[in-house]
Every structure is written in C-alpha cells, then in structure tokens.
Amino acid sequence: MALLQISEPGRAPAPHQHRLAAGIDLGTTNSLVATVRSGQAKVLPDAEGNYLLPSVVRYAPEGIIVGQAAREAAVEDPLNTIASVKRLMGRGVEDLKHLGSQLPYAFVDADTPVPRIRTRLGAVSAVEVSAEILRVLARRAKEALGGALDGVVITVPAYFDEAQRQATKDAARLAGLRVLRLINEPTAAAVAYGLDRAAEGVHAIYDLGGGTFDISILRLRRGVFEVMATGGDSSLGGDDLDRAIAAWMLKQAGLEQDLDPASLRRLLRDARRLKEGLTEAEALPWEIRLPDGRQFQGTLDREMLHQLVDPLISKTLSACRRTLRDAGVSPDQIQAVVLVGGSTRMPWIRTRVGEFFGKEPLVDLDPDQVVAIGAARQADVLVGNRSEEDLLLLDVIPLSLGLETMGGLVERIIPRNTTIPVARAQEFTTFKDGQTAMRIHVVQGERDLVKDCRSLAHFTLRGIPPMVAGAARILVTFAVDADGLLQVTAVEKHSGVKAQVEVKPSYGLTDREIESMLRDSLDHAQEDLHLRRLREQQVEAQRTLEALRSALAKDGDQLLDDQERNRIRAAMAQLEQQLQSASDAQTLQAATEALEKTCAFYVERRMNQSIQQAMAGRKLEELGRDL
Ligand code: ADP
Ligand code: MG
C-alpha cells in the first residue's frame, strides 16, 4: 500500500550514460522480462526464442531447475516441483489453512511464522522460490544487454497487501537485484499502451491469466494514475476452461471423471492445446487414449468452445460490474479497456468484453507481454534514462473502516475502495448524562454488526466534561496515509481533550479473507439491515428510558403526584418489557412513542420549571451539570 512516485527527486541522469534496467512481470503461471532499447520496449526471449518463463521451480536431485523443464516434471515429481508460488508470497502459516488443500507440496511443521516447503534440497520459503525465478530472468536480461542491471521494476497485483509487496522485494534482494520500485500490474498495462500520455479519463484493465482474474479501474488525472477500485477472483482463469473442456471430452467419450493421474494430466494438456489452437482454427480434432488401449475421438469447434467458456466469462463480467460500482462509474464512462493475460487471446472473450463495455478493447500488444512492457518503460524512467515522465500511483483501502456505536453497530467512516491518502471525520456524542469517557472501537469490514467485522483497535477518550447526554461534541477523524497506516483521533470540541491510536489496517489480512468478508456482507445484506434497524430502535428506547430515570430521580417527587408517577413507571416498565421481547423495530418504535406520549405532560412541566430557574439567576451550564 505504498504511494508510488515514478520520479526520484534530486536525480540528475548523466545524458551520455545509458543505464541498464529491466521490467519484470513475476506472474502466477508465467513470468517475463522486458527492457527498453533505442526507445522501444521489448520482451526478451531465452536462447530457444521463448518469451514466457513458466513460474515453476523444481528442486531436482541434480540441482535447481526453473521454467518449462520444471513444469514438465511436475507430474513425476510433484513434491519437489513448486508452481504458483505467488499465491504464497507474504502469507503466514495461518493463511495456509485456507490455501492448503489446493497445494500439492509438503510443508515443514516447525514453529516459524513463514511457511517453508519441504524439498529434497532442503526447506524453502516462497521468497526463496521466487528468487530463483527472478535470477533466471535477470540472467536473461544481463546477457541480452551485455552488462549487470542497475535496477529493476517488478509488477505486483493491485490488491497485494504490504506483506505480499515486502515479500516480493525480499525475493528480488535475495536474487541480487536492486528494486527501483514495485508497480501495480494494471498500471503497467495502462502505461504499455501509453495511456499515461493520453487524455485524462477512466480506464479498465481486464486481466485473465491461467488461474486468476483481476479487474482494475484506473483514473488518470493530472498525469497521475489512481487505482479507483480493484476486484476479481483469485481462483478463476484459463485452467478452469481447460477443466471444462476436459470434462466435455470425457462426456463425449462416455467416460467417468476418475482417470488415472497421468491420463488426467495428458487430458488437461490436450484440452489446453485445443483451446489455444481454436484461436486460429475453426475446429480441431481430439482423441483420448487410455492405458488399457481404449481410444476415443471427436472434434471441438468454436461454437462448442464458446458454450464451454461462457459461464467463465459471465463470472468475470459480474466481477467487472461489482468493481465498476465500487469505483462509482458506469461501463460507458470507461475510455479504454486494456486486455491482459494469455486467456484474453480468445476472440470470444474479446467480443464479450467489448460488448460489456460498449467499445473495442485494446489488443495491439501481446496480452502476455503488456505488463512486462509497461514495467520496462517505468524502469527506464526510474533508472534515469528519461526524466520527463512523472507518474504517481495511488492505492485503495480494501475494506471499509469504521467504528462501533451503541447497540454493537458499525458506523462506516471510510468506505472500501477509497483511494489513499484520505481523511474523513464524523461527530459523535455522549449517551448518558455526565458521561466523562468514551470508548472508541475501530473496526474493518462490510457488515453492519461489530461482531461480524474485524476489530482493529480500542482506545478511550477520557476527561470529557460532564454534560447532559447528547451535549458533548466528539469529532472522530480517520486518516489513512500513503503507506496504508490508519490514525484515529478523537477530540471533544468544548474542552479540547484528545486521544488517538495508530493501526495498520491491511496487516495480516489476506485477499482471501477480504473476499470472504465481502461475500459475507452481500449474503447477509437483508438480515443485517433488519438487525441494524432493530438495534437502532433498541438504543433509542434505552436512551428514552435513561433520560426519564434521571429526570425522575431529580425532580419526580417534586413535580408529580403519586398517581402520575405510577402511570409513568408503568409505561416505562412496558417499554422495558418490549425491549426484551420485541424482535422488530416497528413494535419497539411504537412502544417508545407510546411512552413519550404518556410522559409529554411531565417533560413540559420540567421545561417550564427550568425556564423559571434560569430566570431566577442560575446559570444554564450549572443546570446542565446536575440535570
Ligand atoms: P498468469 O498471469 O497467471 O501468469 P498468463 O497471463 O500467462 O497467466 O496466462 C496463461 C493462460 O492463458 C493459460 O491458461 C493459457 O492456456 C491461456 N492462453 C494462452 N494462449 C491462449 C489462447 N490462444 N487462447 C486461450 N487461452 C490461451
Ligand atoms: Mg499475469
């Protein structure tokens, strides 16, 4: 969650000296490295001419192998072959409980905060595995450029939290690289298309890779890229389509799903080839050969492929709709749509995304290469080869921040997806007469009740001068700085008494947790609304009872006769009883209003009396103090 400024202050690049820099797209499935030469950003191939380096590391008996050879060995040596390590970056042992079932490797059961994977060459952390991938890419760049790198820019998903970003930096340091900056993947994609030089406006970056889908809404304003909102699904991608095609093939062949692991692996590989081949071809033949000699054949055409891919596309478009809503923009307000990720090569995906946004997406650059190209361009600026650019990238807070109010309710102060830095203030007051302290409970989440949100911090504002309930004016300010650090301050305005606390809202929150908290809030919206209304009415009823109790104690004997007092007491008892039993807000509201009606004459008498007392020369605040 850092404010990223793409221009180092006080840097004076020597014009004659060209420094060597590279941009690295450290992907879940594939990684790439690119660099700028003669003003042109180019992705660098390996000796065989391949641009993509599969993000797979195998700890083989003969040593460490990275890339295609490692990917191919995954079936025969799964425990020592680490794929998708990006999902583990910055994650703690606790987080593994959620991720565990998807991961085929064995973890060391030691009491370390960072999980370590057991391999035949020793235990390794996610940072170490990523460093191996970075080393191979850096070597590739060094060989192509003919010298050591002065620095690199590495891309990370926009939703990466501080821990995940730090882990990425650690991996680079371990690989002996100087990180000029980490930048968000969608921003890199926008930069690759030169949108940073284009007219100001809102852009959508649609990134569908192998196993993840990310949608980001960026706004370019005064040369600044601001991440307005991000969304997506961390377990949705091209792999799902491979599985859908494989399942269809099995069904066509009249076979059961439970193949032996090697046949299943082959089937998935064939499904993937079919899918990729249909970008060019209209129809392709397929076959399944089983170890027992049985063979099945068929054909897959584009029509059928579209049917199989449609559910996946619809899911991505629902996420787009939600994210646009978070950003507060409609599809027709989007100026440009950038497609990123291998899966967006599919013509059908391009068509449907184009329909959704009502405009042709940008597809001139290879969707695999877009992110690396943007990173290379920024690396070139940062290392000092160019100085005219000045990019500022902002982040958003992933979940709403708020505080607890009476009745265990959450008052939202800063809604989720607000760009940081941000400061918002709201005024609160005391609940009881003479209340001199106020407990402030800071929470994070989308639900209406405190118990369903995540508790971030507690603190108490003391020294509030005693006043009637509702008279104190307590200003609570939430300020989130550029690093995502939240500071909450409470000040009582009459007296100036103040208290504050600092918290790190993103700390320890995984994107999976964020997702599940968001999903919960959608699932429980109705129920939460009902509960919120009820709780609010309960607070209202308690407030009325409390005010009456304190009034009766003060002047009930003096202003009321026995019969009147009993009538009020009976009405109060009735409301107290409703408070226990009422399960809807309306009933309770009616009971509260009934009590207020019963007591109206008493309230009037008290008002007349206090006016008379004031006339008699007593100071109002004196009155307030002992009311
Ligand atoms: P990641 O961002 O997860 O590293 P990539 O952006 O490299 O992933 O995308 C990999 C995915 O793209 C794979 O599922 C692959 O099958 C898919 N893909 C590549 N080319 C095509 C194509 N022509 N048609 C459909 N899918 C493709
Ligand atoms: Mg990617």
Side-chain angles (χ1 to χ4, degrees):
M1 289 267 169
L3 184 72
L4 309 168
Q5 191 174 2
I6 306 296
S7 151
E8 304 282 42
R11 168 181 47 75
H16 54 277
Q17 183 192 354
H18 187 86
R19 297 193 192 206
L20 304 181
I24 294 177
D25 172 3
L26 188 58
T28 311
T29 317
N30 296 301
S31 297
L32 298 94
V33 59
T35 190
V36 174
R37 275 187 293 190
S38 332
Q40 282 279 337
K42 288 246 155 66
V43 174
L44 303 171
D46 66 7
E48 284 84 49
N50 302 308
Y51 293 105
L52 297 180
L53 176 72
S55 307
V56 185
V57 178
R58 178 177 179 217
Y59 294 84
E62 64 274 21
I64 297 172
I65 301 168
V66 180
Q68 192 53 38
R71 173 173 284 169
E72 278 159 16
V75 193
E76 66 188 69
D77 191 16
L79 289 179
N80 296 289
T81 308
I82 321 296
S84 301
V85 73
K86 190 170 176 177
R87 292 185 191 274
L88 290 178
M89 292 293 270
R91 298 298 171 86
V93 173
E94 272 300 300
D95 304 320
L96 282 187
K97 293 190 184 122
H98 308 291
L99 293 164
S101 56
Q102 308 169 10
L103 301 169
Y105 357 103
F107 289 90
V108 179
D109 312 302
D111 223 9
T112 51
V114 174
R116 298 181 72 77
I117 304 163
R118 200 192 300 278
T119 78
R120 65 161 69 77
L121 299 182
V124 293
S125 66
V127 166
E128 288 167 293
V129 177
S130 295
E132 297 300 341
I133 300 169
L134 289 171
R135 269 193 202 107
V136 172
L137 294 171
R139 203 179 314 130
R140 195 187 282 184
K142 247 175 262 174
E143 281 161 15
L145 297 173
L149 291 173
D150 291 300
V152 295
V153 165
I154 302 177
T155 57
V156 291
Y159 59 78
F160 252 28
D161 67 19
E162 205 53 41
Q164 292 168 299
R165 285 168 200 259
Q166 191 55 52
T168 308
K169 280 189 192 166
D170 292 346
R173 199 163 329 120
L174 201 59
L177 294 172
R178 180 175 158 235
V179 180
L180 298 165
R181 193 128 317 169
L182 297 183
I183 64 167
N184 290 332
E185 288 162 10
T187 306
V191 167
Y193 273 104
L195 295 181
D196 51 325
R197 310 241 174 93
E200 309 209 321
V202 181
H203 308 297
I205 319 296
Y206 177 105
D207 181 352
L208 188 61
T212 54
F213 171 64
D214 297 305
I215 172 75
S216 313
I217 310 298
L218 305 183
R219 173 163 55 195
L220 180 69
R221 207 161 44 172
R222 277 177 258 115
V224 169
F225 267 120
E226 197 181 296
V227 181
M228 294 175 78
T230 68
D233 190 331
S234 58
S235 51
L236 185 69
D239 300 345
D240 297 287
L241 184 53
D242 301 348
R243 280 190 286 274
I245 295 171
W248 174 83
M249 286 161 72
L250 284 176
K251 202 163 152 228
Q252 292 295 106
L255 287 167
E256 293 295 323
Q257 295 272 1
D258 47 352
L259 293 185
D260 61 286
S263 302
L264 188 63
R265 207 60 221 181
R266 226 176 10 250
L267 180 68
L268 283 171
R269 186 199 58 199
D270 291 349
R272 181 182 177 136
R273 285 184 183 159
L274 272 175
K275 168 188 80 175
E276 296 179 5
L278 286 173
T279 294
E280 296 296 323
E282 286 295 329
L284 287 170
W286 56 265
E287 65 171 18
I288 299 175
R289 285 166 188 266
L290 294 180
D292 61 15
R294 283 185 291 164
Q295 287 186 25
F296 305 88
Q297 276 103 25
T299 311
L300 178 62
D301 60 16
R302 275 198 185 177
E303 181 88 5
M304 192 60 223
L305 179 73
H306 294 175
Q307 275 184 42
L308 291 169
V309 73
D310 262 331
L312 171 87
I313 302 178
S314 298
K315 273 193 200 165
T316 67
L317 296 181
S318 306
C320 288
R321 211 168 286 123
R322 278 197 297 276
T323 309
L324 283 169
R325 200 162 54 219
D326 283 341
V329 295
S330 57
D332 57 287
Q333 281 173 287
I334 300 291
Q335 249 172 40
V337 183
V338 176
L339 295 187
V340 182
S343 299
T344 64
R345 280 219 185 79
M346 292 189 72
W348 187 234
I349 291 189
R350 294 180 172 187
T351 307
R352 291 215 42 205
V353 173
E355 277 167 12
F356 177 83
F357 287 101
K359 61 184 57 67
E360 289 286 313
L362 297 173
V363 293
D364 303 335
L365 297 175
D366 183 329
D368 284 331
Q369 303 188 355
V370 181
V371 169
I373 285 175
R377 273 193 45 199
Q378 300 209 352
D380 193 44
V381 176
L382 279 175
V383 84
N385 293 331
R386 277 195 285 171
S387 56
E388 79 274 23
E389 271 142 313
D390 184 20
L391 265 170
L392 193 66
L393 317 175
L394 301 182
D395 267 309
V396 295
I397 52 165
L399 287 169
S400 303
L401 297 168
L403 47 79
E404 174 170 358
T405 58
M406 292 301 296
L409 291 174
V410 177
E411 180 70 30
R412 216 160 283 164
I413 309 288
I414 304 180
R416 80 185 210 90
N417 273 332
T418 303
T419 51
I420 56 172
V422 63
R424 296 265 166 87
Q426 200 157 313
E427 214 168 85
F428 294 88
T429 189
T430 44
F431 181 71
K432 286 195 170 196
D433 289 348
Q435 185 180 337
T436 57
M438 188 172 189
R439 201 183 62 117
I440 290 166
H441 181 196
V442 183
V443 298
Q444 181 176 40
E446 308 311 310
R447 300 287 301 274
D448 280 304
L449 300 188
V450 167
K451 68 172 181 54
D452 298 320
C453 287
R454 183 180 156 98
S455 171
L456 290 180
H458 289 272
F459 68 106
T460 305
L461 176 65
R462 292 179 207 284
I464 302 171
M467 285 178 257
V468 263
R473 293 174 64 200
I474 296 151
L475 189 73
V476 178
T477 309
F478 276 51
V480 183
D481 71 11
D483 292 320
L485 207 67
L486 166 69
Q487 182 162 314
V488 181
T489 315
V491 186
E492 200 289 308
K493 283 181 152 183
H494 297 289
S495 57
V497 290
K498 185 173 166 179
Q500 67 183 43
V501 71
E502 224 174 59
V503 264
K504 185 104 210 187
S506 64
Y507 182 73
L509 207 60
T510 66
D511 70 313
R512 201 159 275 273
E513 278 176 276
I514 292 176
E515 257 173 47
S516 87
M517 287 169 90
L518 289 177
R519 204 170 314 118
D520 272 1
S521 80
L522 291 176
D523 293 350
H524 296 94
Q526 262 320 95
E527 173 195 330
D528 272 13
L529 187 67
H530 173 79
L531 269 173
R532 172 178 276 278
R533 290 219 181 102
L534 179 63
R535 294 279 177 107
E536 278 169 353
Q537 200 51 54
Q538 284 168 345
V539 171
E540 193 50 44
Q542 276 160 351
R543 206 197 315 269
T544 308
L545 286 168
E546 179 64 31
L548 266 172
R549 260 183 230 118
S550 106
L552 285 173
K554 174 81 186 90
D555 53 27
D557 292 343
Q558 180 194 333
L559 294 179
L560 302 169
D561 63 26
D562 282 353
Q563 204 194 347
E564 286 167 338
R565 244 192 329 272
N566 286 340
R567 203 163 74 216
I568 291 177
R569 288 246 155 81
M572 284 171 76
Q574 214 159 32
L575 181 59
E576 266 156 14
Q577 197 248 319
Q578 285 287 358
L579 202 49
Q580 299 302 317
S581 61
S583 58
D584 68 297
Q586 285 92 325
T587 312
L588 202 52
Q589 187 178 0
T592 311
E593 282 167 5
L595 175 64
E596 279 165 359
K597 223 161 150 191
T598 309
C599 301
F601 74 95
Y602 175 38
V603 173
E604 198 175 322
R605 252 179 240 177
R606 298 191 80 225
M607 254 153 70
N608 290 339
Q609 190 205 30
S610 65
I611 290 168
Q612 279 160 15
Q613 280 173 345
M615 304 280 232
R618 285 184 65 186
K619 280 196 230 135
L620 257 177
E621 53 274 30
E622 236 174 285
L623 242 179
R625 187 160 309 156
D626 53 26
L627 251 174

